[in-house]
Amino acid sequence: MSVDIPKEMLAVTAYGPGDYRLEHKPSPRARAGEVIVKVKACGICGSDVHAFHGAVADWGDENTAPWMIAPVTPGHEFWGEVVELGEGAAEKYNLKIGDRTISEQIIPCWECLYCQEGLHHLCNVHNIYGFQSEVAEGAMAEYLRYPAGALVYKIPESLSLEEAAAIEPLACASHAVECGDISLKDTVVIAGAGPIGLFAIQAAALKNPYKLIVIDISEERLELAKKLGADITLNPQKVDVKKEVDAMTGGYGCDVFIEVTGNPIVVKTGLNILRKRGRFVEFSVFSGDTTVDWTVIGEKKELRIIGGHLSPKMYPVAIELLANKKVTVDGIVTHKFALEDFHAALEQAQNAKESIKVLIIP
């Protein structure tokens, strides 16, 4: 089942750091169990910006993480409209031509230990859209293939283009919040009011913690954080964060610290302001190492350090939150660019002072 698909499409190809080119490439066609979508929007993630600058990609440097293997079309935040269904795909996913869909950013192998244990987001093979071309190209293109092993969900017609594009980052943010195991009595600090942080604020607010504090150096983003559910905002360039948090907690510190900045300095802040037996959730992509006094984790505070990765079981949750208007994208999606202007889009996404979430619209 299919509609007319051109033999060639426009797509971005990453060849190396800073070497991204718009090219004509063969349009993907569906094999058994596969879905082809016309891409409606592709968000630019912080990891996309890092990869463009060579920080999280395997560009032939053995010291970097082997995430992106060039040449490949980047882009893992996306949604699209079904234009072709391979044999068995319609039945497997309950899809028809024209349906709006999204696929989880990881394509599990379904055979490794982690997949067998229900931890598909930790799949040992770890193929992600836009990082390994032999498995799944990314969505900075006019058309995209969902491989047979993908996790695919329908998107309600009620969601706007911007809301549908927010499903992936909202799912990730929701997982970060779930990792914090937030309760009604908790004082929660979220460090970073970027896209993930702003969605995490909304998800955390739904948990109704005793106090929700947000840290960022942008007054504009802190103002938006207040509108989205933060009780208190703190700018570390203007106030002593530890002193402020201690004053609000009787000198004990916060119960939960969620780090979504990717800034090594903020890791030290979190360890410093957490109470004893507090919970530190790390959900960031770092461009470099961080050094801390590891003693504070055990000897001094007996902290709980929880890593958060991707968005297991959170796509349906994110879709429902958006459909029920419990989470908004207002003020978060700030810029939209045509596919032909992808270089400008990447540059805009890097400029955190003037943008939050940037979308490419093929």
Side-chain angles (χ1 to χ4, degrees), residues 179-183 185-189 245 249 252-258 269-282 296-298 300-307:
C179 286
D181 194 23
I182 296 168
S183 72
K185 62 180 177 59
D186 286 334
T187 293
V188 178
V189 175
V245 172
T249 60
Y252 288 101
C254 62
D255 300 278
V256 181
F257 184 88
I258 301 175
T269 300
L271 297 176
N272 197 30
I273 68 174
L274 272 168
R275 64 174 297 168
K276 293 177 181 178
R277 292 187 67 83
R279 303 183 293 284
F280 188 116
V281 178
E282 181 51 64
V296 70
I297 296 170
K300 294 181 179 179
K301 291 188 177 181
E302 201 173 274
L303 298 177
R304 302 295 183 263
I305 308 297
I306 307 116

Side-chain angles (χ1 to χ4, degrees), residues 282-300:
E282 181 51 64
F283 200 97
S284 286
V285 176
F286 287 83
S287 58
D289 295 339
T290 183
T291 301
V292 298
D293 176 7
W294 204 246
T295 308
V296 70
I297 296 170
E299 177 66 20
K300 294 181 179 179

Side-chain angles (χ1 to χ4, degrees), residues 30 32 47 63 81 86 127 207 233 246 276 283 287 305-306 333:
S47 63
N63 296 315
E81 184 176 288
N127 291 315
K207 296 279 190 177
T233 58
D246 282 349
K276 293 177 181 178
F283 200 97
S287 58
I305 308 297
I306 307 116
V333 176

Side-chain angles (χ1 to χ4, degrees), residues 2 75 110 218 221 282 330:
S2 67
W110 300 115
S218 167
R221 293 192 180 203
E282 181 51 64
D330 292 347

